[in-house]
Amino acid sequence: MHERALLADLVRELETVAAREGAQGIRSVRVRVGPMSHMTPAHFVEHFVDATRGTVAEGARCDVEQIDPGDPLAQSIVLESVELELP
């Protein structure tokens, strides 16, 4: 359940960025995943694919880096960048 909530927040953020920029879709995203979020990068990608189904980010490439355990953001998922598909 924790993973679902984290991904729902991320998808909302992606949809906001796409709408603000007038994008038709999202080509790729780069995120950093904290070890305290209870997801490995591979596990995150699996959840990302499910969470983005039917959204502006469906089919987007997802590049994931692990956050250092000592980082204050170790419990977070941090959106680093978004590559948009513009009209």
Side-chain angles (χ1 to χ4, degrees):
M1 190 64 167
H2 174 71
E3 292 93 348
R4 187 175 295 166
L6 290 172
L7 268 295
D9 289 344
L10 176 64
V11 169
R12 275 192 294 278
E13 188 172 357
L14 292 171
E15 289 178 330
T16 298
V17 169
R20 182 180 64 229
E21 299 298 325
Q24 294 176 327
I26 295 177
R27 290 190 177 144
S28 67
V29 299
R30 171 181 260 154
V31 296
R32 293 188 317 139
V33 177
M36 301 298 286
S37 71
H38 305 290
M39 282 192 275
T40 65
H43 187 207
F44 178 85
V45 170
E46 289 175 17
H47 283 285
F48 179 83
V49 169
D50 288 338
T52 58
R53 202 167 279 125
T55 74
V56 69
E58 183 173 10
R61 187 181 79 239
C62 182
D63 297 319
V64 185
E65 292 180 31
Q66 186 82 38
I67 295 174
D68 184 87
D71 190 299
L73 297 173
Q75 294 184 15
S76 305
I77 294 172
V78 179
L79 179 61
E80 290 287 313
S81 65
V82 179
E83 181 183 355
L84 301 172
E85 181 181 320
L86 298 171

